[in-house]
Amino acid sequence: MARTVVARLAAAGAGVGIGSALGGIGWFYSGVLLDTRRQMVYPERVLAVTATTVTLAESRLTRQPGTWGLRWVGGLAQLGPVAEVVDGTVLRPLVGGDVPVVGTAAVLDTGPWDDPAARGFAYSDVDVDTPLGPAPAWLVPGPASPADGDTTGDTWVIAVHGRGGTRREALRVLPALHALGLSVLVVSYRNDGDAPASPDGRDHLGDAEWEDVQAAVLFARERGAQRIVLYGWSMGGAITGAFLDRSADAPDVVAVVWDAPLVDWMATLRQQARNRRLPPGLTPLAAAITSRRIRIDFGRFDLARRPPAVRPPTLLFHTDDDTSVPVTASRALAAAAPGLGWPLRYVEVAGPEHTAAWNADPAAYEDTVTSFLSDVLARWGP
């Protein structure tokens, strides 16, 4: 009997120890999720350079198809599609920008440019008056609009980058949007390094950031916008989805374009946990801890089960090899959309990583965006 009691106490102690350990790991994972700090890493190495080519060590990332930026401390180049893979190296054309030197530590970047001027567009640096203070934005007027922003047309695109991203994500699609005659407001939002920080110093995962998009829509309306197109990458999907669900101005949105959108936070957390080789059962615990810390209801961010109140025509891109935001969530939303009364077109792109559908084939991507928006906006007349 004494041995049985001792064994039970030992097991209970071990259980408490394991529970405490899992709780600690859950708290740590939650902290990573809410951390607003961003650190650029440079995992690639430039092995050789000519006037027209760059050679990198072969990896899953350097083999990705299409057009990319190559970024390093103090420089940015534009690289074309893979020309050759041989003996553990990848040769890509150097098509613009700076020229790296051999030995440079670099990273392939989905954003090959740093501001609208690099794409040949006149723009204004403006501030959007958000609930936390002024947030810088780029205002790129439509082709028939003056650069001072006084008259910028009645249809505006509000472009919203992803978590850990920057405004340069939107630069890839500026030519297509400009050709449609649309003005584009490329926004920042709390904790992204440009806009004001949250008072609690935590990322709110779209649950509060949508208020900054609300401020951007008001900014556009005050300058003549009557119709709004939302364009979001990655967590920009969660942010704009929350706007569609909660904002009184959501009916002004006539179209949405999402690229690798975060449309199911719990599915994304499970994938992120797998990436970190964490136990599967840890995700609900980390989610519960996070919910308590920032008062977020993750269920509101499963759009296939709880769609937003306003569901305008939507174009959704996702790549099939995305290791950051699971493509399965976008597939589930696309399958559910008809039953939700949500006109949604889904385009899946083979090959590249997160938010790289444009990079894989810029012309095809832009043609799809142009066709979709032309059809939607034609219904509204001039």
PDB file of all heavy atoms in Angstrom, residues 11 19 52-53 66 77 88 100 102 106 109 119 127 135 142 179 187 245 250 260 268 276 303 340 342 348 365 374 381:
ATOM      1  N   ALA A  11       3.820   9.845  -9.685  1.00  0.00           N
ATOM      2  CA  ALA A  11       3.172  10.063 -10.983  1.00  0.00           C
ATOM      3  C   ALA A  11       2.487  11.412 -11.028  1.00  0.00           C
ATOM      4  O   ALA A  11       2.547  12.133 -12.029  1.00  0.00           O
ATOM      5  CB  ALA A  11       2.160   8.937 -11.255  1.00  0.00           C
ATOM      6  N   GLY A  19       2.926  19.135 -16.892  1.00  0.00           N
ATOM      7  CA  GLY A  19       1.948  20.199 -17.141  1.00  0.00           C
ATOM      8  C   GLY A  19       2.582  21.574 -17.049  1.00  0.00           C
ATOM      9  O   GLY A  19       2.309  22.456 -17.867  1.00  0.00           O
ATOM     10  N   THR A  52      25.706  40.109 -65.596  1.00  0.00           N
ATOM     11  CA  THR A  52      24.318  39.752 -65.912  1.00  0.00           C
ATOM     12  C   THR A  52      23.780  38.592 -65.097  1.00  0.00           C
ATOM     13  O   THR A  52      22.616  38.213 -65.276  1.00  0.00           O
ATOM     14  CB  THR A  52      24.197  39.383 -67.404  1.00  0.00           C
ATOM     15  OG1 THR A  52      25.097  38.294 -67.693  1.00  0.00           O
ATOM     16  CG2 THR A  52      24.530  40.576 -68.294  1.00  0.00           C
ATOM     17  N   THR A  53      24.571  37.997 -64.204  1.00  0.00           N
ATOM     18  CA  THR A  53      24.100  36.834 -63.450  1.00  0.00           C
ATOM     19  C   THR A  53      24.578  36.879 -62.003  1.00  0.00           C
ATOM     20  O   THR A  53      25.567  37.527 -61.666  1.00  0.00           O
ATOM     21  CB  THR A  53      24.596  35.510 -64.071  1.00  0.00           C
ATOM     22  OG1 THR A  53      26.016  35.439 -63.966  1.00  0.00           O
ATOM     23  CG2 THR A  53      24.158  35.375 -65.518  1.00  0.00           C
ATOM     24  N   GLY A  66      10.489  32.064 -60.994  1.00  0.00           N
ATOM     25  CA  GLY A  66      10.029  33.422 -61.239  1.00  0.00           C
ATOM     26  C   GLY A  66      10.993  34.523 -60.883  1.00  0.00           C
ATOM     27  O   GLY A  66      12.211  34.340 -60.786  1.00  0.00           O
ATOM     28  N   ALA A  77      18.814  43.803 -55.344  1.00  0.00           N
ATOM     29  CA  ALA A  77      18.869  43.506 -56.768  1.00  0.00           C
ATOM     30  C   ALA A  77      17.586  42.811 -57.193  1.00  0.00           C
ATOM     31  O   ALA A  77      16.867  42.250 -56.362  1.00  0.00           O
ATOM     32  CB  ALA A  77      20.071  42.612 -57.078  1.00  0.00           C
ATOM     33  N   GLY A  88      25.044  21.884 -57.009  1.00  0.00           N
ATOM     34  CA  GLY A  88      24.723  22.558 -55.759  1.00  0.00           C
ATOM     35  C   GLY A  88      24.661  24.066 -55.842  1.00  0.00           C
ATOM     36  O   GLY A  88      24.683  24.744 -54.813  1.00  0.00           O
ATOM     37  N   PRO A 100      25.578  42.693 -56.039  1.00  0.00           N
ATOM     38  CA  PRO A 100      26.235  42.199 -54.819  1.00  0.00           C
ATOM     39  C   PRO A 100      27.677  41.797 -55.108  1.00  0.00           C
ATOM     40  O   PRO A 100      28.069  41.622 -56.269  1.00  0.00           O
ATOM     41  CB  PRO A 100      25.392  40.987 -54.444  1.00  0.00           C
ATOM     42  CG  PRO A 100      24.890  40.478 -55.758  1.00  0.00           C
ATOM     43  CD  PRO A 100      24.650  41.693 -56.613  1.00  0.00           C
ATOM     44  N   VAL A 102      30.802  38.941 -54.205  1.00  0.00           N
ATOM     45  CA  VAL A 102      30.939  37.540 -53.811  1.00  0.00           C
ATOM     46  C   VAL A 102      31.125  37.454 -52.292  1.00  0.00           C
ATOM     47  O   VAL A 102      31.866  38.225 -51.693  1.00  0.00           O
ATOM     48  CB  VAL A 102      32.138  36.907 -54.538  1.00  0.00           C
ATOM     49  CG1 VAL A 102      32.397  35.495 -54.008  1.00  0.00           C
ATOM     50  CG2 VAL A 102      31.887  36.864 -56.035  1.00  0.00           C
ATOM     51  N   ALA A 106      22.697  37.177 -48.043  1.00  0.00           N
ATOM     52  CA  ALA A 106      21.520  37.793 -48.661  1.00  0.00           C
ATOM     53  C   ALA A 106      20.290  36.943 -48.391  1.00  0.00           C
ATOM     54  O   ALA A 106      20.359  35.854 -47.825  1.00  0.00           O
ATOM     55  CB  ALA A 106      21.746  37.946 -50.171  1.00  0.00           C
ATOM     56  N   ASP A 109      13.801  37.882 -51.646  1.00  0.00           N
ATOM     57  CA  ASP A 109      12.711  38.712 -51.133  1.00  0.00           C
ATOM     58  C   ASP A 109      11.619  38.781 -52.185  1.00  0.00           C
ATOM     59  O   ASP A 109      11.894  39.042 -53.366  1.00  0.00           O
ATOM     60  CB  ASP A 109      13.253  40.123 -50.838  1.00  0.00           C
ATOM     61  CG  ASP A 109      12.316  40.962 -49.995  1.00  0.00           C
ATOM     62  OD1 ASP A 109      11.089  40.815 -50.150  1.00  0.00           O
ATOM     63  OD2 ASP A 109      12.801  41.787 -49.201  1.00  0.00           O
ATOM     64  N   ARG A 119       9.231  51.847 -59.184  1.00  0.00           N
ATOM     65  CA  ARG A 119       8.375  51.240 -60.190  1.00  0.00           C
ATOM     66  C   ARG A 119       7.941  52.254 -61.243  1.00  0.00           C
ATOM     67  O   ARG A 119       7.152  51.926 -62.129  1.00  0.00           O
ATOM     68  CB  ARG A 119       7.128  50.631 -59.540  1.00  0.00           C
ATOM     69  CG  ARG A 119       7.427  49.556 -58.541  1.00  0.00           C
ATOM     70  CD  ARG A 119       6.862  48.210 -58.979  1.00  0.00           C
ATOM     71  NE  ARG A 119       7.380  47.727 -60.252  1.00  0.00           N
ATOM     72  CZ  ARG A 119       6.861  46.706 -60.942  1.00  0.00           C
ATOM     73  NH1 ARG A 119       5.784  46.090 -60.485  1.00  0.00           N
ATOM     74  NH2 ARG A 119       7.394  46.305 -62.068  1.00  0.00           N
ATOM     75  N   ASP A 127       0.003  60.727 -44.163  1.00  0.00           N
ATOM     76  CA  ASP A 127      -0.257  60.126 -42.861  1.00  0.00           C
ATOM     77  C   ASP A 127      -1.743  59.852 -42.721  1.00  0.00           C
ATOM     78  O   ASP A 127      -2.577  60.726 -42.986  1.00  0.00           O
ATOM     79  CB  ASP A 127       0.184  61.057 -41.720  1.00  0.00           C
ATOM     80  CG  ASP A 127       1.692  61.088 -41.545  1.00  0.00           C
ATOM     81  OD1 ASP A 127       2.339  60.058 -41.822  1.00  0.00           O
ATOM     82  OD2 ASP A 127       2.228  62.139 -41.152  1.00  0.00           O
ATOM     83  N   ALA A 135      -0.188  57.178 -39.109  1.00  0.00           N
ATOM     84  CA  ALA A 135       0.479  56.015 -39.696  1.00  0.00           C
ATOM     85  C   ALA A 135       0.850  56.362 -41.130  1.00  0.00           C
ATOM     86  O   ALA A 135      -0.019  56.729 -41.928  1.00  0.00           O
ATOM     87  CB  ALA A 135      -0.441  54.800 -39.669  1.00  0.00           C
ATOM     88  N   GLY A 142      -4.336  57.553 -59.382  1.00  0.00           N
ATOM     89  CA  GLY A 142      -4.605  56.954 -60.682  1.00  0.00           C
ATOM     90  C   GLY A 142      -4.029  57.793 -61.798  1.00  0.00           C
ATOM     91  O   GLY A 142      -3.652  58.959 -61.606  1.00  0.00           O
ATOM     92  N   ALA A 179      -2.996  50.710 -64.327  1.00  0.00           N
ATOM     93  CA  ALA A 179      -3.550  50.577 -65.677  1.00  0.00           C
ATOM     94  C   ALA A 179      -5.071  50.559 -65.659  1.00  0.00           C
ATOM     95  O   ALA A 179      -5.716  50.922 -66.659  1.00  0.00           O
ATOM     96  CB  ALA A 179      -3.010  49.317 -66.340  1.00  0.00           C
ATOM     97  N   VAL A 187      -0.868  51.144 -47.062  1.00  0.00           N
ATOM     98  CA  VAL A 187      -0.924  51.580 -45.667  1.00  0.00           C
ATOM     99  C   VAL A 187       0.086  50.845 -44.787  1.00  0.00           C
ATOM    100  O   VAL A 187       0.566  49.755 -45.109  1.00  0.00           O
ATOM    101  CB  VAL A 187      -2.339  51.382 -45.083  1.00  0.00           C
ATOM    102  CG1 VAL A 187      -3.364  52.130 -45.923  1.00  0.00           C
ATOM    103  CG2 VAL A 187      -2.709  49.903 -44.980  1.00  0.00           C
ATOM    104  N   ASP A 245     -16.125  42.312 -41.412  1.00  0.00           N
ATOM    105  CA  ASP A 245     -17.077  41.797 -40.438  1.00  0.00           C
ATOM    106  C   ASP A 245     -17.549  42.863 -39.457  1.00  0.00           C
ATOM    107  O   ASP A 245     -18.692  42.808 -38.988  1.00  0.00           O
ATOM    108  CB  ASP A 245     -16.444  40.644 -39.658  1.00  0.00           C
ATOM    109  CG  ASP A 245     -17.462  39.873 -38.845  1.00  0.00           C
ATOM    110  OD1 ASP A 245     -18.533  39.534 -39.394  1.00  0.00           O
ATOM    111  OD2 ASP A 245     -17.195  39.609 -37.656  1.00  0.00           O
ATOM    112  N   ALA A 250     -17.864  48.782 -44.259  1.00  0.00           N
ATOM    113  CA  ALA A 250     -17.616  47.609 -45.088  1.00  0.00           C
ATOM    114  C   ALA A 250     -18.477  47.567 -46.352  1.00  0.00           C
ATOM    115  O   ALA A 250     -18.006  47.085 -47.386  1.00  0.00           O
ATOM    116  CB  ALA A 250     -17.820  46.338 -44.268  1.00  0.00           C
ATOM    117  N   ALA A 260      -2.362  34.644 -50.431  1.00  0.00           N
ATOM    118  CA  ALA A 260      -1.966  33.784 -49.309  1.00  0.00           C
ATOM    119  C   ALA A 260      -2.560  34.284 -48.002  1.00  0.00           C
ATOM    120  O   ALA A 260      -1.859  34.448 -47.011  1.00  0.00           O
ATOM    121  CB  ALA A 260      -0.442  33.707 -49.201  1.00  0.00           C
ATOM    122  N   THR A 268      -3.428  28.021 -39.064  1.00  0.00           N
ATOM    123  CA  THR A 268      -2.098  28.620 -39.209  1.00  0.00           C
ATOM    124  C   THR A 268      -1.239  28.345 -37.988  1.00  0.00           C
ATOM    125  O   THR A 268      -0.043  28.037 -38.108  1.00  0.00           O
ATOM    126  CB  THR A 268      -2.235  30.133 -39.450  1.00  0.00           C
ATOM    127  OG1 THR A 268      -3.019  30.349 -40.634  1.00  0.00           O
ATOM    128  CG2 THR A 268      -0.867  30.778 -39.631  1.00  0.00           C
ATOM    129  N   ARG A 276       7.962  24.587 -36.015  1.00  0.00           N
ATOM    130  CA  ARG A 276       8.858  24.679 -34.856  1.00  0.00           C
ATOM    131  C   ARG A 276       9.042  23.333 -34.143  1.00  0.00           C
ATOM    132  O   ARG A 276       9.673  23.268 -33.109  1.00  0.00           O
ATOM    133  CB  ARG A 276       8.309  25.717 -33.867  1.00  0.00           C
ATOM    134  CG  ARG A 276       8.327  27.137 -34.387  1.00  0.00           C
ATOM    135  CD  ARG A 276       7.695  28.110 -33.395  1.00  0.00           C
ATOM    136  NE  ARG A 276       7.906  29.488 -33.775  1.00  0.00           N
ATOM    137  CZ  ARG A 276       7.116  30.174 -34.601  1.00  0.00           C
ATOM    138  NH1 ARG A 276       6.052  29.575 -35.129  1.00  0.00           N
ATOM    139  NH2 ARG A 276       7.385  31.428 -34.905  1.00  0.00           N
ATOM    140  N   LEU A 303     -12.821  31.923 -41.378  1.00  0.00           N
ATOM    141  CA  LEU A 303     -13.824  32.560 -42.245  1.00  0.00           C
ATOM    142  C   LEU A 303     -14.713  31.563 -42.962  1.00  0.00           C
ATOM    143  O   LEU A 303     -15.814  31.939 -43.399  1.00  0.00           O
ATOM    144  CB  LEU A 303     -13.128  33.484 -43.254  1.00  0.00           C
ATOM    145  CG  LEU A 303     -12.274  34.607 -42.654  1.00  0.00           C
ATOM    146  CD1 LEU A 303     -11.892  35.606 -43.732  1.00  0.00           C
ATOM    147  CD2 LEU A 303     -12.990  35.304 -41.502  1.00  0.00           C
ATOM    148  N   LEU A 340     -22.028  30.104 -48.755  1.00  0.00           N
ATOM    149  CA  LEU A 340     -22.036  31.295 -47.898  1.00  0.00           C
ATOM    150  C   LEU A 340     -22.537  32.531 -48.647  1.00  0.00           C
ATOM    151  O   LEU A 340     -22.564  33.622 -48.087  1.00  0.00           O
ATOM    152  CB  LEU A 340     -20.618  31.568 -47.377  1.00  0.00           C
ATOM    153  CG  LEU A 340     -19.970  30.455 -46.551  1.00  0.00           C
ATOM    154  CD1 LEU A 340     -18.516  30.803 -46.239  1.00  0.00           C
ATOM    155  CD2 LEU A 340     -20.745  30.220 -45.259  1.00  0.00           C
ATOM    156  N   TRP A 342     -20.995  33.882 -51.120  1.00  0.00           N
ATOM    157  CA  TRP A 342     -19.771  34.679 -51.251  1.00  0.00           C
ATOM    158  C   TRP A 342     -19.177  34.422 -52.639  1.00  0.00           C
ATOM    159  O   TRP A 342     -18.610  33.368 -52.895  1.00  0.00           O
ATOM    160  CB  TRP A 342     -18.789  34.255 -50.173  1.00  0.00           C
ATOM    161  CG  TRP A 342     -17.596  35.155 -49.994  1.00  0.00           C
ATOM    162  CD1 TRP A 342     -17.100  36.080 -50.857  1.00  0.00           C
ATOM    163  CD2 TRP A 342     -16.738  35.190 -48.838  1.00  0.00           C
ATOM    164  NE1 TRP A 342     -16.005  36.687 -50.329  1.00  0.00           N
ATOM    165  CE2 TRP A 342     -15.750  36.171 -49.097  1.00  0.00           C
ATOM    166  CE3 TRP A 342     -16.710  34.483 -47.639  1.00  0.00           C
ATOM    167  CZ2 TRP A 342     -14.738  36.458 -48.174  1.00  0.00           C
ATOM    168  CZ3 TRP A 342     -15.710  34.774 -46.728  1.00  0.00           C
ATOM    169  CH2 TRP A 342     -14.745  35.745 -46.985  1.00  0.00           C
ATOM    170  N   GLU A 348      -4.929  28.741 -57.479  1.00  0.00           N
ATOM    171  CA  GLU A 348      -3.806  28.101 -56.794  1.00  0.00           C
ATOM    172  C   GLU A 348      -2.606  28.037 -57.738  1.00  0.00           C
ATOM    173  O   GLU A 348      -2.739  27.641 -58.895  1.00  0.00           O
ATOM    174  CB  GLU A 348      -4.189  26.705 -56.321  1.00  0.00           C
ATOM    175  CG  GLU A 348      -3.152  26.090 -55.398  1.00  0.00           C
ATOM    176  CD  GLU A 348      -3.703  24.881 -54.649  1.00  0.00           C
ATOM    177  OE1 GLU A 348      -4.768  25.027 -53.971  1.00  0.00           O
ATOM    178  OE2 GLU A 348      -3.083  23.804 -54.745  1.00  0.00           O
ATOM    179  N   TYR A 365      -0.311  36.500 -63.186  1.00  0.00           N
ATOM    180  CA  TYR A 365      -0.920  37.039 -61.963  1.00  0.00           C
ATOM    181  C   TYR A 365      -1.618  38.362 -62.256  1.00  0.00           C
ATOM    182  O   TYR A 365      -2.788  38.573 -61.892  1.00  0.00           O
ATOM    183  CB  TYR A 365       0.167  37.220 -60.917  1.00  0.00           C
ATOM    184  CG  TYR A 365      -0.288  37.688 -59.548  1.00  0.00           C
ATOM    185  CD1 TYR A 365      -0.403  36.784 -58.498  1.00  0.00           C
ATOM    186  CD2 TYR A 365      -0.574  39.027 -59.277  1.00  0.00           C
ATOM    187  CE1 TYR A 365      -0.792  37.201 -57.219  1.00  0.00           C
ATOM    188  CE2 TYR A 365      -0.972  39.452 -58.024  1.00  0.00           C
ATOM    189  CZ  TYR A 365      -1.074  38.545 -56.999  1.00  0.00           C
ATOM    190  OH  TYR A 365      -1.460  38.966 -55.740  1.00  0.00           O
ATOM    191  N   SER A 374     -11.651  44.325 -63.498  1.00  0.00           N
ATOM    192  CA  SER A 374     -12.380  44.939 -64.612  1.00  0.00           C
ATOM    193  C   SER A 374     -13.834  44.470 -64.634  1.00  0.00           C
ATOM    194  O   SER A 374     -14.766  45.267 -64.808  1.00  0.00           O
ATOM    195  CB  SER A 374     -11.700  44.598 -65.945  1.00  0.00           C
ATOM    196  OG  SER A 374     -10.419  45.173 -66.023  1.00  0.00           O
ATOM    197  N   GLY A 381     -20.408  50.743 -63.290  1.00  0.00           N
ATOM    198  CA  GLY A 381     -20.474  51.850 -64.244  1.00  0.00           C
ATOM    199  C   GLY A 381     -19.326  52.819 -64.019  1.00  0.00           C
ATOM    200  O   GLY A 381     -18.492  52.638 -63.143  1.00  0.00           O
TER     201      GLY A 381
END
